[in-house]
Amino acid sequence: MIGGTATALLPVLRADGRKAGPSPVEAAGPPAEPARPAEQFDEMYGGRHIQGTDAGVLIDGRPLHLMRRADGGYLSVVNHYESFPTALATARAAVDDLGGAQLSLAGPASH
């Protein structure tokens, strides 16, 4: 049994470990994309004042909690089931969904 194991491992033991794996340049992968500028907006939409950036949104002075998706889109606490390409598009959709209701000042509940 020992002889069989040694025979099976012989090619592995003889291999040059320095040749294994990608080069440091290959391991680093493609260059990172440059950071995109932050989205900023301040507008009236549907009779509501929307202002903010891609990091935070206010609707009539009340915070709309946004969540960033892995694909770069956004979700809001108003609509967890639809993704939007920008924070502004998410805020506009929240205004549409809210109708005449106001956002709560209490903030979102923990998930």
Side-chain angles (χ1 to χ4, degrees):
M1 182 154 138
I2 294 173
T5 303
T7 303
L9 291 176
L10 190 57
V12 174
L13 296 173
R14 285 189 178 168
D16 185 357
R18 292 174 287 163
K19 292 181 183 176
S23 72
V25 173
E26 292 171 331
E33 292 182 25
R36 67 176 197 186
E39 177 184 14
Q40 295 182 0
F41 46 89
D42 189 345
E43 69 175 36
M44 291 299 292
Y45 177 81
R48 301 292 188 94
H49 184 208
I50 300 174
Q51 62 188 114
T53 68
D54 52 0
V57 173
L58 298 175
I59 298 177
D60 293 334
R62 294 172 182 239
L64 172 67
H65 181 69
L66 297 180
M67 293 160 280
R68 192 74 184 261
R69 292 173 39 97
D71 67 4
Y74 294 86
L75 299 174
S76 76
V77 295
V78 176
N79 186 344
H80 275 306
Y81 304 105
E82 192 172 358
S83 178
F84 301 94
T86 65
L88 177 58
T90 309
R92 288 176 176 165
V95 167
D96 293 340
D97 289 344
L98 284 169
Q102 290 287 326
L103 288 169
S104 170
L105 289 174
S110 296
H111 285 52

